[in-house]
Amino acid sequence: MQIYFAPLQGITDAPFRQIHAAHFSGICKYFTPFISPTQNYNLTNHEIAEVDPWKNRGFHLVPQIIASRPELFLWAASQLADMGYTEVNLNMGCPSGTVTAKGKGAGLLTSLTGLERFLDEVYARTPIRVSIKTRLGWQNPDEFPDLLTRLNTYPVSELIIHARTRVQFYKGQTAPEAVLSLLPSCKMPVVYNGDLFTPGQCQAFAKAHPEIQTVMIGRGLAANPALARTVLENVPLQPGEMRTYHDALYGAYRQLFPPNAVLGRMRELGKHLACCFEDATKLLKKIRKATSLSAYENYTAELFEHPLRPDPGFIPEP
Ligand SMILES: Cc1cc2nc3c(=O)[nH]c(=O)nc-3n(C[C@H](O)[C@H](O)[C@H](O)COP(=O)(O)O)c2cc1C
């Protein structure tokens, strides 16, 4: 099995990827959170820093682009090709209302004819490989067979499927059967994504579905940074490792960003890391609401004194 680290806007930025890759093995590809070229063919300074090859050295990175117009996608893809990238990923899954209202992300799934117009242009003119990250459809997993029929007509380098529809966002049941039943008809390599939160769950999935060779994991890896290593090399997360990793990341952010930005990022990460520890529910709430870096430091110092849970990973909110 191969494991990809899913893009998580607000968590898996360049410093995060650098530090994760330096501390933990097992990730075959990292993906940037989406970059979104503007109507004037621009990227923000943050987006340029995100894809800077120097800030992403030492691991395999695939930049992800979100766009509603093929010419904007192609412009960004050619900028990335000029930087030396050989693959870009098209985001067809982002469920956020502000994104889909502009026809981007999962918004591309609302009209298959519109999608075909977009993809015709992209695949006719792209200077590099284009993989796709999609959902099963907008409303109902029954939409997936038609979507796949259309996608099969393009040279999609890899198809990453989040096994939910847009209306589900990241909640409710995934529908792995919708992916598995159509696997033999997929003309491109397929990557499965969705709710593989712990090493145990990944191992069980790999055993039950040997036909899936690659999975993409997001929240599980944000919670347990050693998840891929545990699955692939059988070396579980060690108690002291979490602290070392956390402190390296915290130190890097403190050098790069003002205190409020550091606090925002660390609260988001901290709420994932806390899932790996026993009896952390109260601390998790405190970490999420910490109003200063010193409060945050106190809560995490306390958190790291707790024992690790067996099979540590992400715990979704009920
Ligand atoms: C906070 C957050 C930010 C995300 N940002 C992105 C993104 O920028 N691009 C993308 O394709 N998916 C994004 N996703 C979706 C994840 O990549 C992934 O598909 C989703 O979390 C399901 O996988 P998981 O169950 O392993 O977490 C995001 C999800 C979350 C929760």
Side-chain angles (χ1 to χ4, degrees):
M1 177 184 256
Q2 297 191 112
I3 299 181
Y4 294 173
F5 204 139
L8 299 170
Q9 198 79 245
I11 300 181
T12 62
D13 58 10
F16 176 97
R17 297 189 296 267
Q18 191 91 65
I19 285 168
H20 183 269
H23 286 76
F24 295 98
S25 52
I27 303 298
C28 182
K29 288 185 187 175
Y30 291 82
F31 289 71
T32 68
F34 63 74
I35 60 173
S36 179
T38 65
Q39 303 299 324
N40 305 325
Y41 298 87
N42 265 320
L43 294 175
T44 62
N45 288 340
H46 171 73
E47 288 171 329
I48 293 166
E50 266 298 291
V51 295
D52 179 343
W54 177 250
K55 294 185 172 136
N56 291 287
R57 63 197 183 280
F59 52 89
H60 187 122
L61 180 69
V62 179
Q64 186 186 66
I65 304 171
I66 200 165
S68 60
R69 286 169 40 205
E71 59 275 22
L72 292 176
F73 181 92
L74 287 162
W75 171 78
S78 72
Q79 300 289 307
L80 292 159
D82 289 347
M83 289 181 186
Y85 289 100
T86 55
E87 177 193 346
V88 288
N89 180 259
L90 166 66
N91 181 316
M92 266 172 40
C94 180
S96 151
T98 49
V99 167
T100 58
K102 293 180 194 141
K104 302 190 219 179
L108 285 169
L109 300 173
T110 52
S111 151
L112 289 183
T113 328
L115 178 64
E116 277 179 326
R117 272 199 302 272
F118 181 96
L119 295 179
D120 281 348
E121 190 93 0
V122 162
Y123 280 101
R125 292 175 40 211
T126 179
I128 46 178
R129 290 202 303 275
V130 179
S131 60
I132 292 180
K133 181 161 181 277
T134 186
R135 289 174 175 255
L136 297 172
W138 179 268
Q139 185 81 34
N140 194 303
D142 295 353
E143 295 164 34
F144 188 56
D146 262 358
L147 173 62
L148 182 63
T149 305
R150 316 284 170 116
L151 295 179
N152 269 336
T153 64
Y154 301 97
V156 178
S157 66
E158 200 160 50
L159 184 63
I160 303 160
I161 307 166
H162 177 63
R164 285 192 176 88
T165 58
R166 185 271 172 179
V167 294
Q168 291 181 282
F169 285 72
Y170 297 108
K171 297 214 162 138
Q173 287 292 312
T174 50
E177 62 291 347
V179 178
L180 293 161
S181 62
L182 286 181
L183 214 50
S185 356
C186 293
K187 296 221 166 110
M188 66 295 274
V190 168
V191 178
Y192 181 85
N193 169 247
D195 289 13
L196 297 174
F197 290 145
T198 71
Q201 288 172 4
C202 293
Q203 275 148 353
F205 185 86
K207 205 168 164 202
H209 308 297
E211 66 277 33
I212 299 271
Q213 276 149 27
T214 311
V215 294
M216 174 180 262
I217 298 174
R219 293 164 290 179
L221 270 163
N224 176 355
L227 190 153
R229 188 190 69 192
T230 311
V231 173
L232 302 175
E233 299 161 37
N234 212 10
V235 182
L237 182 64
Q238 308 297 312
E241 270 184 319
M242 197 68 132
R243 163 121 247 173
T244 314
Y245 162 70
H246 169 274
D247 290 356
L249 199 50
Y250 185 50
Y253 282 145
R254 290 206 66 169
Q255 291 205 339
L256 287 167
F257 302 118
N260 266 352
V262 178
L263 187 60
R265 280 182 166 75
M266 294 311 295
R267 278 195 308 216
E268 186 61 22
L269 180 67
K271 84 178 191 208
H272 286 83
L273 299 182
C275 296
C276 289
F277 295 89
E278 296 276 18
D279 300 323
T281 320
K282 278 192 193 142
L283 268 176
L284 189 151
K285 281 193 190 133
K286 286 184 182 170
I287 288 171
R288 282 170 69 159
K289 291 186 182 155
T291 50
S292 68
L293 286 179
S294 60
Y296 172 82
E297 284 170 20
N298 290 338
Y299 299 144
T300 45
E302 203 183 321
L303 176 71
F304 295 135
E305 296 297 316
H306 287 222
L308 288 170
R309 289 173 42 241
D311 199 27
F314 183 68
I315 306 172
E317 280 170 29

